[in-house]
Amino acid sequence: MNKERVGHFYDVVWTEYIPEYEATEKHWEIFYSREEVMGKSVLDAGCGTGIFSIIFSNKGAGKVTGIDISEGSLETARSLKEKFRLHNTEFQKQDMLHLPFENESFDIVWAWGTVHHTTDPFKAIEELIRVLKRDGSLLLAVYTKTKLTFIHEIIRKTLVRTPKKIWTLLSKIFAFFLAPVVFFFKKREKSRKGEKLEELILDWYFVPIRHYYTPDEIRTFLQERGFVIEKFLPASGRFNSTSNFIFKARKQSS
Ligand SMILES: C[S@@+](CC[C@H](N)C(=O)[O-])C[C@H]1O[C@@H](n2cnc3c(N)ncnc32)[C@H](O)[C@@H]1O
């Protein structure tokens, strides 16, 4: 049920939202190079509207599979695939917690901002690890637990209880009051181009499931499963957002 709520939420919130290509590509380049992905099989787990799948494909990946539970987002992803005329990329409706792929199917598994929206993020990571080949590369971007997390959670848990039909209006009202603060910190200008502040608020405070972790929790989980951490960005989510931390880790071959 919760999974359906998340899928439906993203049908409404992200379907129209395609992150800006060049800014996203720059961010992707922090973690991978063309050489590293050339000919590789990639799983984009929780691909949303598919921008990272498209980038992997344009960078020379051999086969890219984007999966998501939001059919609306997948439709946008498929039209993006047509636009870029990519034949090695496919988008499927699948639940990250129960992937229909064989063990060790992918060279690279990319999960940007997704496991924390599942009912069981550690199970989701286990599933991603299962389908990753030995010596394969895993990229995880996860919401950071901070001292302020509980305040965000009080707001979110209150807001998700309000009637759905007023969510857009509420997020517009929040955006109206927050706009001067955001302008003051000049964060938005450089940040999620193409996404309005009210959409960002909707995504942040109205999403049905949201978990937060410390980097140590995720690092330990990965290391206990034999991963070597290759890259860690502590508070540098996509487009300078401070809400995510990111691990790039390699599954050991034995
Ligand atoms: C914040 S969006 C990120 C989309 C994309 N990774 C990006 O960075 O543009 C989170 C995505 O995770 C998807 N998601 C949440 N739970 C999922 C699950 N159990 N299985 C697959 N996708 C899921 C949502 O539908 C949504 O599209």
Side-chain angles (χ1 to χ4, degrees), residues 9 156 159-160 162 167 170-171 201-208:
F9 172 79
R156 186 186 68 81
L159 290 175
V160 289
T162 60
W167 285 7
L170 285 176
S171 53
I201 289 167
L202 205 54
D203 185 29
W204 185 260
Y205 284 126
F206 293 84
V207 67

Side-chain angles (χ1 to χ4, degrees), residues 29-31 139 228-233 246-249:
E29 284 168 352
I30 297 173
F31 304 99
L139 191 297
V228 171
I229 308 297
E230 291 185 335
K231 200 166 203 117
F232 169 61
L233 261 68
I246 304 137
F247 280 109
K248 180 184 178 190

